Structure formats: C-alpha cells, structure tokens
Amino acid sequence: MKPENFIKDITSKDIKLSHSIIKNMIKTSDIKAFNLLCEKCDFIFPFLKERINADFVKLIKENDLNAVFKFSEIYCADFEDMIVNSWVKFASQDLTDEILELFENGTVEQKAYCAKYFVKIQDPLALEHLKNNVFSDFEPLKTNCALALSAFQDVEILDKMKEIVLKSNDDFEKLNAFNFISTYSGEKQIKFVIEQAFLSPFAINIISNVLDFNELNYLKNILDNKTMTKIFQLIIEEYPEDLSLDSAYYWNLAEFIKLIYRFDSSYSKNVLILAREKFKEFSENDIYTFDFDKNIKNEIKNISNLLKSLDLEFSVENFEDEFELSAILEVIKELKLDEKAEFLANLFSRTNEEKKAQIALILKEFKKIDLIDIEIIKQIQNENIKALIESYL
C-alpha cells in the first residue's frame, strides 16, 4: 500500500475500512506502518488521532501483544495511548513483569511507554526504575516518570526538586526541577511552581508546562484572581516570538479570556486590552498563522472577535506592582498613546532601572524623550541601562 493511501484509509470516514487497516497493522506487526503513522501525525486532526488510538485498543487481542511490543520501539506522543492502553487492557502480573524487564533493559523510547504504564498500574517494583529514569535527557521518559511518581505519591524526588528550585544557582537545572514538579501536579505543587516561576528567566516555559498538564477549571479553583491574571498576561506578552500561537487553541484561551474579564479589575482590563490589540494583528495578518491548520486559524479569529466584543477601559491609576505596570506600559506602546508621555516621564523617576529603560524607549518612539530629567539618568547604577537610555537622547 502506498503511504498516502495508508494515511487516507486509516483516517477514513468509512469505519470498516479504517478498522481493516488497523487490524492488518496489528496482525502483521507492521512497524513500517506504525512509523508512517507517527511521521504523519502532525497532519492528522486531533479527533482522528483519538479515534485511531481508541479503535486500536478496542481491536487488539491478547495474543496480538507482540505487535504492541514491536511498535514500542518507536516513540510517538500522539499515539502513546495506543501502546499503553493496550498493555493496560490486558494487565496481569506476567505482563507487568515483562514490562518491568523492558523498563530495565529497553531503549529510552520503550522506557517512556513503560513509565506511562506504571501511571495506571502501580506496581511498587517499578519505583526504582522510575527514580533512575526521572533525570533522563529524553523528555517523554522524564515526564512519564514524574507522572508515575505522582500516582505513587512518592515524594523523595519531589522534595529534591523543590530544594533545587529554592537553592540552585543554575537556571537550567531549576527549569528541569520546575517541569518535574508541575508534571507531578497537586495543589501544593502547582502553587509552589507558580509562586517561584515569575522569578525565573524561563517563566513562560514553566507556565506552559503547568498549562499543558492542568485544566483551566482546576487552576482557577486553586489560584487567586491576581495570579490567574499574571499567568494570562505572561502568555499574551510572549506571543508570538517566544510562544506559539497554536497554544491559544490547545489551552482554550477563549475561556481564559472570559474568566479574566469576570475579574472586573483595572489590571485585568488592561491586560485584555493588550490581548485585544495583539489578536487583532494576528487575525488580520496571515504571516502569523499560515502554517497552522484551519481549526487553529479559526480559533485565532474567534478569540479576536471575542476580545473586540468586550467593554474595556484603559486605566493607569493605582497599579500595585511591576506586573500591573508592565501591562500599562505595553498598552501605551501598542496603542501609541503619546498623550500619556507626561505620565511616563513622571513615572520614570519612581520605577526600577529596567522599567526606566522600557519607558525611555517608548518616549523615544513618541519623539518625547526630552521629557526625561537628565539628572535622574545620571543616578542609574546599571551602566548598561544608563548607556542604553543615553543612546536614546
């Protein structure tokens, strides 16, 4: 069968045809077909991938498990359930022993599936393997080990990771620890991660991992309104350079927007104004969405229309911290509100040095940099920031 025909048939609306392709792939242990499915997964709609996963597990029989072990040589996150749920379907002590042996001696790809199996089948003999592989360079293996250790409620590695976050001077080491803790999950863990994440240069990476593993409804029940707004702000500020716009679809950003709007604070409205301006740009220019499928493109437009429909009023009054100030500055910049130049000049003397640089750049763009008091610039301690601002004069 030609590759294009295989993908066409396995995703066909004709369920009998699709099932016949899956049955043949199982019967012949056709690893080339499974590999092709994995290679083409980015071009298959999510609901079709879910259907293939579910149908494979439904059609597999216990005497076909050799095919599943064969397919485990290739790791594919989109079809992970195909492997793991087939094992779970026929879980027994003998099968678990076989998977334990694979966990000990298999490739990292096979170990990733094994770790996910022990999320669902919690055999204590797996604990040693999980702890040994949780520091793997292979991300799916590391992630699945964290999920399994969480299922076991084993806190030994969790406590070590928290200590790294609090004491390490290596931001990359801390990022790995953050990712473990957010994958491990649980209310205490999520609150710990969020509280510490905003202090990290990798804040968006950390927050992204939290959102990948935790539903919005869960987060809004354990985090306060201000924290949820800060998370939303970080997402919006990182689009599109450091965060892919397709996350707006996968994280259900439309519901996030409705939630933030209900907070009805000047801070939340300022952040939503920033989001409105950005998504207007994204929805009107194909350069931002040309390589996304139609579902994501439609979602970007829907989000833009939703934001346009909201009653939002910009405010520069009573900001409480650097996050609220950052939202104000970003809106002034996005909307080119040069009538706020005097406000910015007065603010220049009252804020930290990094914000001084941001304010100076905005005033430069407004051609009103002369409003800044030269004497205040001379007092800046950071020589790089001082030189940068002086270059704007």
Side-chain angles (χ1 to χ4, degrees), residues 38 46 81 83 103 127 181 226 260 275 285 308 311 323 332:
C38 295
D81 286 348
I83 306 298
F103 204 177
L127 275 171
I181 299 166
K226 181 72 173 285
I260 300 300
N285 293 278
K308 288 176 186 176
D311 181 19
F323 284 92
I332 291 173

Side-chain angles (χ1 to χ4, degrees), residues 16 30 52 64 79 81 89 119 127 141 148 157 169 175 184 187 189 196 219 277 323 344 350 356-357 359 374:
K16 288 184 178 180
D30 192 346
I52 293 168
D64 296 321
F79 294 107
D81 286 348
K89 180 180 177 181
V119 173
L127 275 171
L141 174 55
I157 303 296
N169 294 319
L175 177 60
Y184 189 99
E187 182 175 341
Q189 278 62 255
Q196 299 295 323
L219 294 175
E277 296 307 305
F323 284 92
L344 292 175
R350 296 187 285 118
K356 280 181 169 58
I359 291 168
I374 299 297

Side-chain angles (χ1 to χ4, degrees), residues 244-259:
S244 175
L245 276 171
D246 61 356
S247 62
Y249 177 83
Y250 296 113
W251 293 341
N252 199 1
L253 204 68
E255 290 304 311
F256 212 151
I257 289 166
K258 294 173 186 176
L259 174 68

Side-chain angles (χ1 to χ4, degrees), residues 309-338:
S309 73
L310 302 180
D311 181 19
L312 301 172
E313 183 178 349
F314 180 51
S315 173
V316 298
E317 303 298 327
N318 303 319
F319 59 87
E320 296 180 352
D321 56 32
E322 294 300 313
F323 284 92
E324 295 190 27
L325 174 57
S326 178
I328 289 170
L329 295 179
E330 287 295 327
V331 172
I332 291 173
K333 179 181 177 183
E334 285 288 327
L335 295 181
K336 298 180 173 57
L337 301 177
D338 58 357

Side-chain angles (χ1 to χ4, degrees), residues 142-255:
K142 183 190 306 184
T143 297
N144 287 347
C145 284
L147 289 170
L149 288 169
S150 176
F152 277 96
Q153 289 295 293
D154 184 274
V155 297
E156 179 186 346
I157 303 296
L158 176 65
D159 290 342
K160 288 181 181 178
M161 293 298 187
K162 286 185 176 180
E163 187 175 358
I164 288 172
V165 167
L166 295 173
K167 296 183 179 180
S168 175
N169 294 319
D170 185 329
D171 286 324
F172 288 98
E173 183 181 35
K174 290 170 76 169
L175 177 60
N176 283 329
F178 271 122
N179 288 341
F180 174 90
I181 299 166
S182 58
T183 303
Y184 189 99
S185 199
E187 182 175 341
K188 287 183 179 179
Q189 278 62 255
I190 295 304
K191 286 182 175 179
F192 174 84
V193 166
I194 297 297
E195 181 182 345
Q196 299 295 323
F198 292 114
L199 305 174
S200 170
F202 297 113
I204 190 57
N205 306 81
I206 298 163
I207 297 296
S208 294
N209 205 48
V210 170
L211 292 170
D212 283 342
F213 287 94
N214 297 273
E215 297 288 339
L216 177 62
N217 284 335
Y218 173 67
L219 294 175
K220 75 179 184 182
N221 287 331
I222 66 171
L223 301 174
D224 60 48
N225 293 358
K226 181 72 173 285
T227 302
M228 291 300 292
T229 306
K230 286 166 66 175
I231 291 172
F232 181 77
Q233 178 184 355
L234 181 63
I235 293 168
I236 297 303
E237 288 182 349
E238 297 298 332
Y239 282 145
E241 289 85 2
D242 296 315
L243 185 61
S244 175
L245 276 171
D246 61 356
S247 62
Y249 177 83
Y250 296 113
W251 293 341
N252 199 1
L253 204 68
E255 290 304 311

Side-chain angles (χ1 to χ4, degrees), residues 73-178:
E73 295 173 11
I74 299 167
Y75 182 79
C76 180
D78 288 317
F79 294 107
E80 185 179 67
D81 286 348
M82 183 185 293
I83 306 298
V84 176
N85 289 345
S86 293
W87 285 340
V88 171
K89 180 180 177 181
F90 301 107
S92 66
Q93 190 56 58
D94 287 344
L95 178 59
T96 298
D97 288 344
E98 194 173 351
I99 293 170
L100 280 168
E101 184 178 349
L102 187 65
F103 204 177
E104 182 175 6
N105 300 313
T107 64
V108 290
E109 291 81 7
Q110 291 170 320
K111 289 180 179 182
Y113 291 120
C114 294
K116 192 61 173 287
Y117 174 80
F118 290 111
V119 173
K120 302 183 179 186
I121 305 297
Q122 288 150 39
D123 189 316
L125 292 176
L127 275 171
E128 182 180 355
H129 299 314
L130 292 167
K131 292 176 182 179
N132 288 340
N133 287 283
V134 76
F135 299 101
S136 170
D137 291 332
F138 187 53
E139 204 64 41
L141 174 55
K142 183 190 306 184
T143 297
N144 287 347
C145 284
L147 289 170
L149 288 169
S150 176
F152 277 96
Q153 289 295 293
D154 184 274
V155 297
E156 179 186 346
I157 303 296
L158 176 65
D159 290 342
K160 288 181 181 178
M161 293 298 187
K162 286 185 176 180
E163 187 175 358
I164 288 172
V165 167
L166 295 173
K167 296 183 179 180
S168 175
N169 294 319
D170 185 329
D171 286 324
F172 288 98
E173 183 181 35
K174 290 170 76 169
L175 177 60
N176 283 329
F178 271 122

